[in-house]
Amino acid sequence: MTQNTGPVVAKYRLEEQGLFNLKAVHWNLPPAALYEHALARGEGQFAKEGPLVVRTGKHTGRSAQDKFVVRDSVTDGTVWWDNNKAMEPAHFAALKDSVRAYVQGRELFVQDLYAGADPKYRLKVRVITEYAWHSLFIRNLLRVPDPSELSDFTPEFTIIDVPNFCAEPDKHGSRCETVITGSFTDKLVLIAGTSYAGEIKKSVFTILNFLLPARRVMPMHCSVNVGAEGDAAVFFGLSGTGKTTLSADPRRELIGDDEHGWSDDGVFNFEGGCYAKMIRLSAEAEPEIYATTKRFGTVLENVVLNPETRELDLDDASLAENSRGAYPLSFIPNASAKGYAGNPRNVIMLTADAFGVLPPIARLTPSQAMYHFLSGYTAKVAGTEKGLGNEPQATFSTCFGAPFMPRHPSEYGNLLRDLIAKHDVRCWLVNTGWTGGAFGVGRRMPIKATRALLNAALDGSLNDAPMRTDAHFGFEVPTAVPGVDTAILDPRGTWADPAAYDAQARKLVGMFIQNFRRFEAHVDPDVKAAAPAA
């Protein structure tokens, strides 16, 4: 008979979800109890000053090529199949049966959680994990219900994560032993063959990206903060572009660092925690995030630990360039407990331009904002996905989150355009990438300059700055901003060889135009006209 333990055991048990003959199920355990289980099971180590340090094995980032969506009557005409891999219902059914058989006789950990701070739109998610530290990870990342809500908790979606189960391609329709696949009919996600906890987090995001647009809510891969006057700001961007770093501003309240929804009522966090990059983190540059590495409850993935002193070495990338920390949002001193704010005043699109062409900041018209949102130009930073090398790779990830977008980008783009117009939102493109040359020649944009420019945009003073129109991209670029070196505002002038800049700029323009051809049939003429000049 299954042993059920924990502070609150839900009435809706795992047997009702087809999971039988389990050795034990640990329900909604708090951090201290999960630490005890993780340490006793050899899943991690206790570091000096409190964090739990774990290793994810060969998967130190997302396995993007192993992610699937079940293609059936619910998804066939709705999912953007050019961007999402299809799995046949029969293969998913076989995988589900195999996972159910695998967990028999084992211990499992369950967290019943909310995805979404706004009660009107939140989703009840049950996460079932093989590892105790995965249970702590997702408890940190999602929103923990009040104990009074847990007894009668019935999930609207369930995620089962079994890293030690190996999928079989012929039997389960996977590419290899690793698989991440979801069925919107079964309301179930199965994750197998990988210990990288970010797969759980991004599975929740993918679910919400499918469900919320039908309710006229814009799901966004972004961070959000808000000023003292209620002036919310949205920061779009892929991993490594600065969403977490730039939204952690001691003068502004943090709503969240990665995933949000935007309804006509305002913006709200999907999560209750942060998942920040740890590699080369410093107390000087990012004091709020750095402080979380010295807190009990933080989960650190692939951070090097001195075996004798248990001190962390955040500069050591020998385990992974993509070392990560997962911690509750409450660990950030000025974080919002409620997780929502009114409609934003500014939208910032972050890009790490590996070519060193784009200026550090540019003002966008609404049409240009939709163009750049659908383009999603950035550079994938080493380590965020399996198979990436040591250098950034220029890419176009539509909506700044293509791997998590089940629907066609035009659905998200049209939602964003409508919300920007309705609420008169100012839009900016910010380059946190390279200046003075491409990667390998130039240098990374100074974070102090980026912060100064953002502050000027958010407090409104940048609206009065003198502007020039960029010859290639047509957006407006400030020519002088107090506290910022004027030279850095003109990227061409930072290159030793201006002719080389011109050639690189023409190359990038061509990449934008080529990439956007797939969207031209889905956008209005004004958006097509926002393309850079060939």
Side-chain angles (χ1 to χ4, degrees):
M1 184 174 178
T2 300
Q3 178 188 11
N4 289 283
T5 70
V8 183
V9 178
K11 296 175 184 175
Y12 186 75
R13 303 289 177 85
L14 298 194
E15 288 81 359
E16 296 182 65
Q17 297 183 269
L19 302 178
F20 298 100
N21 303 319
L22 304 171
K23 179 180 179 181
V25 180
H26 305 292
W27 292 84
N28 300 302
L29 295 184
L34 290 168
Y35 262 57
E36 291 174 357
H37 279 283
L39 295 171
R41 293 155 58 96
E43 295 177 4
Q45 294 178 289
F46 213 135
K48 183 180 178 181
E49 298 177 290
L52 180 68
V53 179
V54 300
R55 297 187 181 186
T56 63
K58 64 179 181 179
H59 295 280
T60 59
R62 292 183 297 104
S63 297
Q65 297 303 313
D66 299 308
K67 182 180 178 182
F68 298 84
V69 176
V70 175
R71 188 167 191 165
D72 57 20
S73 60
V74 173
T75 58
D76 187 43
T78 310
V79 166
W80 180 33
W81 296 111
D82 289 349
N83 185 64
N84 292 270
K85 289 187 173 185
M87 175 175 280
E88 292 298 318
H91 281 137
F92 184 82
L95 180 62
K96 180 170 62 175
D97 288 344
S98 295
V99 168
R100 285 173 171 175
Y102 169 80
V103 299
Q104 292 191 41
R106 299 177 187 273
E107 287 184 284
L108 295 177
F109 297 84
V110 176
Q111 293 288 339
D112 286 333
L113 302 161
Y114 290 133
D118 188 337
K120 185 176 178 181
Y121 299 110
R122 71 188 180 194
L123 186 73
K124 293 180 178 180
V125 180
R126 172 168 289 175
V127 182
I128 304 167
T129 63
E130 186 177 11
Y131 288 164
W133 80 262
H134 278 174
S135 194
L136 177 58
F137 169 91
I138 201 61
R139 183 182 176 92
N140 282 350
L141 265 293
L142 293 186
R143 307 188 70 84
V144 180
D146 186 271
S148 64
E149 301 172 289
L150 288 173
S151 178
D152 293 322
F153 191 99
T154 301
E156 297 170 275
F157 234 96
T158 298
I159 298 172
I160 303 176
D161 185 280
V162 282
N164 294 316
F165 174 81
C166 297
E168 301 174 39
D170 290 342
K171 183 177 181 180
H172 302 128
S174 61
R175 189 179 67 97
C176 60
E177 65 183 24
T178 300
V179 66
I180 305 98
T181 183
S183 167
F184 287 97
T185 297
D186 288 16
K187 295 180 170 43
L188 176 65
V189 171
L190 301 172
I191 302 171
T194 173
S195 297
Y196 183 66
E199 301 288 10
I200 308 173
K201 164 189 161 68
K202 288 306 184 186
S203 291
V204 176
F205 189 39
T206 301
I207 294 165
L208 294 172
N209 280 332
F210 181 81
L211 297 177
L212 288 179
R215 302 180 67 184
R216 299 297 297 168
V217 177
M218 174 68 185
M220 302 179 295
H221 188 206
C222 70
S223 57
V224 175
N225 63 24
V226 61
E229 299 180 1
D231 53 318
V234 170
F235 298 77
F236 285 106
L238 288 179
S239 174
T241 57
K243 292 195 315 302
T244 298
T245 299
L246 295 173
S247 58
D249 184 335
R251 294 165 299 180
R252 296 173 65 83
E253 186 178 49
L254 180 68
I255 303 299
D257 82 322
D258 197 41
E259 299 169 5
H260 295 79
W262 183 359
S263 72
D264 279 328
D265 300 324
V267 290
F268 63 95
N269 195 354
F270 289 164
E271 300 181 307
C274 300
Y275 191 37
K277 291 196 75 171
M278 292 288 127
I279 192 67
R280 290 177 287 278
L281 189 70
S282 73
E284 293 73 28
E286 299 167 288
E288 294 87 3
I289 301 173
Y290 183 84
T292 69
T293 67
K294 301 177 181 296
R295 292 287 300 268
F296 178 87
T298 294
V299 178
L300 296 176
E301 292 180 330
N302 302 314
V303 170
V304 173
L305 185 68
N306 185 303
E308 301 299 329
T309 65
R310 299 301 176 93
E311 293 179 331
L312 304 173
D313 186 350
L314 299 177
D315 294 324
D316 189 336
S318 59
L319 293 178
E321 181 73 22
N322 189 38
S323 57
R324 292 271 178 169
Y327 49 88
L329 198 61
S330 59
F331 283 12
I332 300 297
N334 61 329
S336 168
K338 63 183 182 181
Y340 53 85
N343 285 292
R345 190 177 298 174
N346 289 277
V347 165
I348 295 100
M349 298 182 187
L350 301 170
T351 178
D353 176 23
F355 294 117
V357 168
L358 296 179
I361 196 166
R363 184 164 60 193
L364 305 177
T365 67
S367 298
Q368 288 171 336
M370 185 171 176
Y371 182 92
H372 283 276
F373 179 72
L374 290 177
S375 297
Y377 168 67
T378 189
K380 289 182 181 178
V381 179
T384 55
E385 287 185 14
K386 185 182 177 184
L388 287 182
N390 294 324
E391 297 185 1
Q393 296 179 7
T395 187
F396 290 88
S397 184
T398 186
C399 307
F400 294 100
F404 324 116
M405 301 296 170
R407 294 174 179 267
H408 193 277
S410 61
E411 290 196 51
Y412 305 107
N414 287 330
L415 265 174
L416 181 67
R417 178 197 59 194
D418 293 348
L419 287 163
I420 287 172
K422 184 173 183 178
H423 301 290
D424 191 25
V425 180
R426 295 188 294 262
C427 300
W428 309 89
L429 182 71
V430 171
N431 175 24
T432 61
W434 280 258
T435 183
F439 175 82
V441 176
R443 62 182 178 123
R444 197 74 189 256
M445 195 72 68
I447 191 169
K448 288 185 178 180
T450 301
R451 285 197 181 278
L453 291 166
L454 278 174
N455 290 339
L458 298 181
D459 67 21
S461 61
L462 199 55
N463 293 326
D464 301 321
M467 298 274 180
R468 65 174 176 86
T469 299
D470 186 89
H472 296 286
F473 287 88
F475 42 48
E476 293 184 313
V477 180
T479 57
V481 179
V484 178
D485 181 5
T486 301
I488 207 171
L489 297 173
D490 180 7
R492 187 175 188 269
T494 66
W495 283 51
D497 181 357
Y501 171 86
D502 292 338
Q504 189 69 80
R506 288 192 295 270
K507 177 181 177 182
L508 183 58
V509 166
M511 292 171 65
F512 266 88
I513 292 171
Q514 176 65 32
N515 171 74
F516 204 80
R517 284 176 181 151
R518 57 186 172 145
F519 302 129
E520 288 180 346
H522 303 279
V523 300
D524 294 335
D526 61 308
V527 178
K528 285 191 283 188

